Amino acid sequence: MSRTPRRTRHPGRHGSAAARAPRVAPSVDPVGGLRGLVEEGIVLAAALNARDDLDLAAASTARLGALTSGMWRALSRELETAAERLDRSALERMEAIERRARALQVDAEEVVAAGVAAMHLAEHRETLETLIQADEDRHRLLGPEGLFGYRIDAGDRDDDDDEAGESDADDDDDDDDDDLALMSVRVTLLLWAAPLTPATVTIGPSGVDDPGQPESVGLALGLAAPAALLDALSVASGLSAERVPEALSALAVACWTAHHLDDQPPDDFDADDEEGDDDVEKDGGRAGGDGV
């Protein structure tokens, strides 16, 4: 039997003071039913991820079984059965999330997206924690009552200007702007203080060159976060309202850096390849020299 989530208080039902209070998004609820709902979304995302992994494993063992013994074909059938069970369980959980989301007046798809973002953080948390020092403001936002998920989206190019027919000179300027836009990323942070009210930080080159370094490009950070979220984070983290935006931006940079570092190939592999290429080039050069 599923647990009944605790309901948040609604303005206007508990006295005149509550009625006069400004209505904020129902997602600002760090301990009530919404947090439990988002945790269900995290479990659902994990279940879907596990189901996909089982599908891949089942297909791989089936191919192996076709080439070797029946033992692997039997294992493939077991994996398929486990994947089907996970799929049914995920569907049932999704239906429960949709019912609870309607009761809390939130979008069920946002709940699932929050779960996927939490899985993404789990993949990079180990690296992320090595990038943030305990005495930094952003460390307070990384705790158990802070960040629980994030996602990264690449910058988009706006093609409206291309259709307007500008001059060649304008096109050159627009190309530079497009290049900067394509180099930017958006980091969406989801924090327990308001789990469905994210903060978005845009990270990209500013386009302003450093006079001391002619080929350098400055880094531009842009934060978009509702006041209700900033206030809730200030209370949860103990940071002053003035320090929260800077801490959010710094946390987003660390999240993007961790994502980038974890996606890089091992250094040893690249170094070995480069050394091998150098040796081939040197040998080739000596061989060519001897032949002249």
Side-chain angles (χ1 to χ4, degrees), residues 2-114:
S2 60
R3 293 178 297 174
T4 302
R6 285 181 285 171
R7 300 306 179 97
T8 59
R9 294 180 126 190
H10 296 281
R13 294 180 58 187
H14 300 279
S16 58
R20 290 193 299 270
R23 190 176 188 276
V24 298
S27 56
V28 182
D29 181 11
V31 295
L34 183 58
R35 176 162 184 160
L37 179 59
V38 172
E39 288 174 344
E40 286 293 312
I42 293 173
V43 174
L44 173 62
L48 293 174
N49 189 58
R51 178 206 60 188
D52 293 341
D53 289 343
L54 286 174
D55 283 336
L56 289 174
S60 297
T61 51
R63 287 193 295 270
L64 180 60
L67 297 172
T68 57
S69 67
M71 177 185 70
W72 298 110
R73 290 194 295 272
L75 178 58
S76 175
R77 288 192 293 270
E78 292 178 5
L79 290 171
E80 288 178 356
T81 300
E84 291 171 357
R85 291 179 59 186
L86 266 176
D87 195 45
R88 289 194 298 270
S89 175
L91 288 174
E92 293 172 357
R93 192 176 296 273
M94 186 65 210
E95 291 174 356
I97 287 175
E98 290 174 345
R99 289 194 298 269
R100 293 175 62 179
R102 285 193 296 270
L104 293 172
Q105 299 180 357
V106 297
D107 190 340
E109 291 185 359
E110 291 182 358
V111 176
V112 177

